Amino acid sequence: MSAHSIFSPSASHRILNCPPSLMLCSGAADQPSPYAAEGTCAHELCAYLVEKALGRDVKDPTEDLDYYSAEMQSCAEGYASFVMEEYEKARETCPDARVFIEQRVDISRWVPGCGGTADCIILSDGVLEIIDYKNGTGIPVSATSEEYGGNTQLMCYCLGALEMFDGIYDIDSVKMVIYQPRRDNISTYAMSKEDLLAWADGVLAPTARLALEGKGEFRAGDHCRFCRVKATCRKRAEYNLEAAKYDFKMPAELEDYEVDSILMMADRLTSWANDVKEYALAEALKGKEYEHFKIVEGRSNRKYTSEEDVAKTVEAAGYDPWERKIRGVTAMTSMLGKKKFEELLGGLTYKPRGKPALVPRTDKRPEMKNTAEEDFKE
Ligand code: SF4
């Protein structure tokens, strides 16, 4: 297998944290997901709308997009407007600024055979900007990372773009932007070209070399979430089981600080246990036998064999089988699109207070004050 097919910028954060995961994952099958397919459609639409806004001759892909929806259209329009605003800003200082969409970039100077596709590159004298569209509704993706400053996927794209364009444009810094509309998340990070190249030479290249040789230290952490072997990885199991070995102390009841440490590991342990359960179910369905577990049918509710026949029968008996309900906010937004929804219904919606939840202090939401319990009762 060529290096090209296994080291991808999108997996770079995991590989830099756990180099041997690269070769381990290369032998494990990737699970196709409807979210990934939806993301591909959204990217196609985004690319089309930006190219169109730039006045380029492009074919409208909408009718071929399997997951097309009004929400996708509205998110892609938002992205296209954002790109155009960034482009206009760049043109204020550099009239020759240029936009490249879905641009292949190559970083084999640091990682043999490695390349990727940058959603959008805006080039101007001084700054190289990469804008990455994320379609996910899960965790907000950050343009920064604790260990390396920037998001490593975007840092890789910046390196590839520098390889192509540095020299044509006089670049001294790079700007990375994550645009994730379904989480209302726009995250930005800038760094100097010098720092980026120092990271590429001092961290990316040597770690990638180790990874491609199947060497380096296994290291478990949050990055395991995107690893193909996360359910069966021994290092991750050891890491989680070690965390679970709680050293209970006297007196009989836990102190507050002990409860605090258990909470710290609870989410991680739950997520790991769910990965293992999901994996084991898939294996059991393929025929694997586990000593203490078996497959049973889950609970199910009665269903109609034919809604049409049910309606006819109930009507014939003199009753109305139908109920008419207003669409919920999500379904209505999806029908109208975000913009129209706000225009028509912005003043007719409100946000009830959410149920109190205990979350890590690193969570970005503001803290509910001491009166949280009373507030909630009210
Ligand atoms: S699950 Fe985590 S520790 Fe195990 S190989 Fe994957 S990234 Fe490394």
Side-chain angles (χ1 to χ4, degrees):
M1 189 177 294
S2 75
H4 179 82
S5 59
I6 52 174
F7 192 118
S8 95
S10 60
S12 57
H13 183 246
R14 190 200 75 231
I15 298 165
L16 289 171
N17 274 287
C18 178
S21 71
L22 173 65
M23 298 314 286
L24 209 57
C25 286
S26 70
D30 195 11
Q31 300 293 336
S33 92
Y35 302 113
E38 189 189 22
T40 307
C41 290
H43 275 84
E44 263 187 65
L45 188 59
C46 284
Y48 163 69
L49 290 176
V50 179
E51 301 268 26
K52 197 172 115 187
L54 289 164
R56 295 176 188 164
D57 187 17
V58 269
K59 184 179 171 290
D60 184 347
T62 312
E63 65 179 27
D64 300 323
L65 301 177
D66 293 341
Y67 290 83
Y68 179 80
S69 67
E71 188 201 8
M72 187 181 283
Q73 178 74 31
S74 148
C75 291
E77 280 172 8
Y79 167 77
S81 309
F82 179 81
V83 170
M84 293 308 287
E85 277 165 29
E86 293 293 284
Y87 174 47
E88 285 311 321
K89 275 190 230 160
R91 281 181 12 138
E92 279 167 20
T93 51
C94 172
D96 292 337
R98 284 200 63 190
V99 182
F100 294 82
I101 298 300
E102 293 289 320
Q103 177 64 51
R104 280 295 302 170
V105 291
D106 188 303
I107 59 163
S108 35
R109 181 171 143 200
W110 297 277
V111 184
C114 178
T117 305
D119 294 342
C120 173
I121 302 174
I122 301 178
L123 273 174
S124 60
D125 274 333
V127 185
L128 180 157
E129 177 171 355
I130 299 274
I131 305 174
D132 196 48
Y133 181 86
K134 298 280 183 208
N135 195 50
T137 54
I139 294 169
V141 182
S142 178
T144 65
S145 73
E146 256 176 46
E147 310 96 314
Y148 312 113
N151 171 308
T152 59
Q153 180 184 6
L154 269 58
M155 286 165 86
C156 289
Y157 293 155
C158 285
L159 285 171
L162 276 180
E163 281 286 88
M164 287 178 89
F165 302 111
D166 198 15
I168 303 174
Y169 285 80
D170 199 5
I171 297 161
D172 4 276
S173 67
V174 295
K175 180 177 169 188
M176 300 164 227
V177 183
I178 297 282
Y179 186 90
Q180 190 180 13
R182 297 168 88 198
R183 285 301 319 251
D184 286 327
N185 172 37
I186 298 179
S187 174
T188 304
Y189 183 74
M191 72 196 295
S192 69
K193 180 175 85 179
E194 211 180 13
D195 287 349
L196 178 68
L197 292 174
W199 171 78
D201 292 334
V203 178
L204 178 65
T207 317
R209 207 174 308 123
L210 272 184
L212 288 164
E213 286 167 5
K215 295 182 184 158
E217 296 271 316
F218 280 100
R219 193 168 140 237
D222 285 348
H223 51 272
C224 297
R225 197 168 60 238
F226 303 109
C227 184
R228 286 186 202 169
V229 297
K230 65 182 177 183
T232 50
C233 172
R234 185 168 300 282
K235 186 70 184 180
R236 190 176 182 222
E238 284 167 6
Y239 173 70
N240 286 313
L241 290 170
E242 191 52 44
K245 265 191 225 154
Y246 197 78
D247 188 11
F248 289 99
K249 297 197 176 78
M250 294 300 284
E253 289 198 42
L254 297 176
E255 300 288 343
D256 287 346
Y257 77 91
E258 291 172 298
V259 172
D260 200 60
S261 358
I262 292 170
L263 285 172
M264 298 258 294
M265 56 180 109
D267 284 349
R268 194 205 314 158
L269 292 176
T270 310
S271 140
W272 172 57
N274 284 338
D275 289 339
V276 175
K277 279 170 84 171
E278 204 179 293
Y279 166 83
L281 174 63
E283 288 298 298
L285 286 170
K286 283 189 232 154
K288 185 174 282 179
E289 298 264 347
Y290 289 99
E291 192 183 342
H292 302 291
F293 288 84
K294 63 182 178 185
I295 297 185
V296 294
E297 255 190 42
R299 287 185 213 293
S300 76
N301 294 322
R302 287 174 78 194
K303 286 194 185 294
Y304 297 130
T305 49
S306 153
E307 289 196 358
E308 212 183 331
D309 290 348
V310 168
K312 274 191 210 153
T313 310
V314 175
E315 270 162 6
Y319 298 94
D320 179 4
W322 304 106
E323 63 174 3
R324 194 154 172 255
K325 274 183 23 187
I326 193 150
R327 288 171 206 263
V329 172
T330 311
M332 197 73 88
T333 312
S334 156
M335 180 178 79
L336 299 172
K338 264 191 185 170
K339 213 167 139 205
K340 193 85 188 155
F341 181 95
E342 282 311 320
E343 218 175 281
L344 295 176
L345 304 176
L348 290 175
T349 57
Y350 79 106
K351 208 165 186 295
R353 294 202 70 167
K355 237 173 146 180
L358 199 56
V359 299
R361 291 215 168 264
T362 47
D363 192 290
K364 291 207 170 92
R365 285 168 288 180
E367 183 171 9
M368 271 174 104
K369 292 301 166 199
N370 291 343
T371 55
E373 199 180 332
E374 285 91 64
D375 279 0
F376 185 61
K377 276 183 200 152
E378 271 174 36

